[in-house]
Amino acid sequence: METGGQLLARLSGLLDIARNAVADRVAKLAGAETLIGRYEAQAARAMEDSASLVRARQQLTDARSSSADAEQQLTTATDALTAQSGTVTNTDAEISRLEAVRADLLRREELASFIGEARSEIDSKNAALAERRRLLGDEDAVVAAHGAAAAEAVRLQAIATQARTDLDTARRLSFLIADADEREATLAAAATAAAGVRGEHDVALRRRDELTTTIEATRSELAEAERHASAIASAVASIASHIHDDEETCPVCQAHYPAGELKLLANEAARSGNARVAAISERAEQLMVEIATLTQRIGELTPTLTRQAAIEPGAQQARQLAVDLAESLRQALKANENDDLGILAASREAAAQSELRLAQASLAERQPAALAAEERRSASTTEIEQLTARLDAATSRLNGFLADDRDCAERIAARGVPTPTIDEIGTLLATRRNELESARRRLAELEGASAAAVAAAKPLLEQLGTHEADLAAMELAQKNAVLAAEELVKQWTTLGLTGIPDRATLEAAQSASGSASTELTLLGERLRELSNINQDLLLEEELALVTEQMRAAGGDDALKDPVTHLRTLHARLAPARAALKLSQDAEEVVSKYTVQLGQRAEAYNREVLQPLNDRILEFNAAMLSTPGASVQFRANKRVDRTDFEMQLEYGDQIENSLLSGRKVPPQVVLSEGQLAANGFSILCAASTAYRWSRWRALLLDDPLQHNDIIHTAAFVDVMRNLVELEGYQLVMSSHDRAESDFIARKFDAAGLACTTVLLTAPSETGVIYDPPTYNSVARSLLGNPYETTASSA
């Protein structure tokens, strides 16, 4: 519900709005007085039939008539001048065409003599070239005959060489046959010797087997005897230890013996078990000696038995080699089964040598003539090349002359002068030159007339332009006046006045505004009276409210005696200020502690985490872990504590700034493989950034299980660099044989030591594994030439 004060405030606001509106209306009406004079001036300029416009239009009509006559005279003079210029140009072009035809005719007469000389030179060169080619053919025939004789000699040389090879093969065949016969005789003797010793060898083997069985039984008996003897000796020794030298009663059977005899019997009983053991040991020793004798005899007989098997392959190979060589030689000689290959090879070798000597003698007779023909052939070839070059040059000149003559004829025909003579062309040139002189004189006369017409028309055209510009300016001013008058009418209407700007209408509007201002002044006076009455009421209400608040705060006593209540409040003020000071001090201490925590967190970030983060970025880039993003560590400050968090930083600054307000853990964003790769990058970064251990090593348990081939290759390169450049020792397990083989090859190619151990299976006693495999570098470092066939893992 609206109160009286709110109602008065709203009425005051409405009254101020009305006053402002009336004041604005009065100010606008005061400015409207200038619109009336401006409108009357613009209305006078906007009349279509003003005297200045009529006069300007008449002057423009007269100027246009005069300039039209002048332009007609100028056009006539210009057309005549253009026609005469065309005549001069055509005549000049005709003279140039005739002069070009005359030059081509003179050139054709000159070319005719050049063409005749070139053809005569070509004919003489062709005749000389034909003679040289005939001589070259004769010389080629001599050289070819010598070449055929040389080829025949080479063919016969090859036949003689093959015959010599066949003869050598036949001689080697006789040696192979003799060797095969000797080997077969040796094989027969070895077979006979083996048959003689086979019975003794078999008996010795059976006897050795029997003795082996016997000695096994003897060894078992010996073990039992030794166990029994040991037990008896131990028992008797125990009993004997309780019998004194003067003992007479046996502690076992209670029998009586003379003094000293019981002790002697006990000692003898302790030694009696060793006799059986000695007897069995002696028997076993005899069996071992017999086995050794049999084994020695078997060893002596074995070479005789195995000699046949050792000799037989060599004998068979020697016989087969002789058979194969004989067959190959028989095919080379084309001989029958009954032919003597040695005699046949010797006869053919002698015949081939005889034919070769005859061919070489014939070749020697042809050699001088062939050498002379070759020299003449070289000279003829040089002369032919020179004549050919001269002929080509003459032909090129002739073709150039013919082409030049053809071009001249084509140009003459293209100029429209069929089969002219030089005299005819001279006569036409003289006629055309006279016509050109007459045309140029007429052109000069027409140029003077055209210049006079231009001079006469120029002032008339300038006067026409001036009148057109004046009329255009007056018409533009009239249009602008119309637009200005219309704009003044719009402004008049905007002020709330009707019709066109008029003094009576303005005075009526000003009178109405004055009346409204007077009424608003009276209303303002009445509103101020109501405001004063309302203010008195509000003060009374506020006084009552303050009294009630004083009674509520201190009671009736405080209301009746404010001074006493003030002293009470002052007494309570000191403890309250002390408590406030204590709270402020605590807040200051907390603030200092918060600042110290922040400084320590920033120092930890700068000195400890920043090197780690930089190294993580480097390892992520090297191993292609998460392109565009990387896990980073940061220590953050809270009010009274610090915490350690892991977050994902993006390489792109814009993307990183956009996502900075809603950072999420890397575990939510990255895949399992990316998390594994980032974890490995963090491990390597911590190891290389914080050198806290003198043992620079990495112990990795199957780090490649979530990686593809690209990331695997990057991982291996990083590991190789750590080992090669940083001196790390890498101990890694893998379930994939291909991965371990790949790493081993990488390390071997880089010249780094590498040892692999293959775990084959679990067992009750532990994991079964193959012996370690070392590459060449590892073997050289260990100093032992380890050889193993175990697979790596």
Side-chain angles (χ1 to χ4, degrees), residues 13 15 21 26 79 84 128 209 238 272 281 357 374 434 476 490 531 557 560 579 590 611 660 671 712 786 792:
L15 185 61
V26 171
D79 292 343
Q84 189 61 30
D209 294 339
S238 178
S272 63
S281 296
R357 285 193 293 271
E374 185 66 34
N434 293 332
L476 179 61
K490 289 180 181 179
S531 297
D557 295 337
K560 293 177 182 179
V590 171
S660 60
S671 65
T712 298
Y786 289 93
S792 63

Side-chain angles (χ1 to χ4, degrees), residues 448-502:
S450 175
V454 169
K458 183 176 181 180
L460 296 176
L461 292 174
E462 291 176 353
Q463 186 178 6
L464 174 62
T466 301
H467 290 310
E468 287 178 346
D470 293 342
L471 179 60
M474 290 181 181
E475 289 178 346
L476 179 61
Q478 186 266 336
K479 291 179 181 179
N480 291 335
V482 171
L483 295 175
E486 292 176 353
E487 181 63 25
L488 291 172
V489 171
K490 289 180 181 179
Q491 295 178 10
W492 181 267
T493 305
T494 303
L495 295 175
L497 303 175
T498 58
I500 62 176
D502 180 70

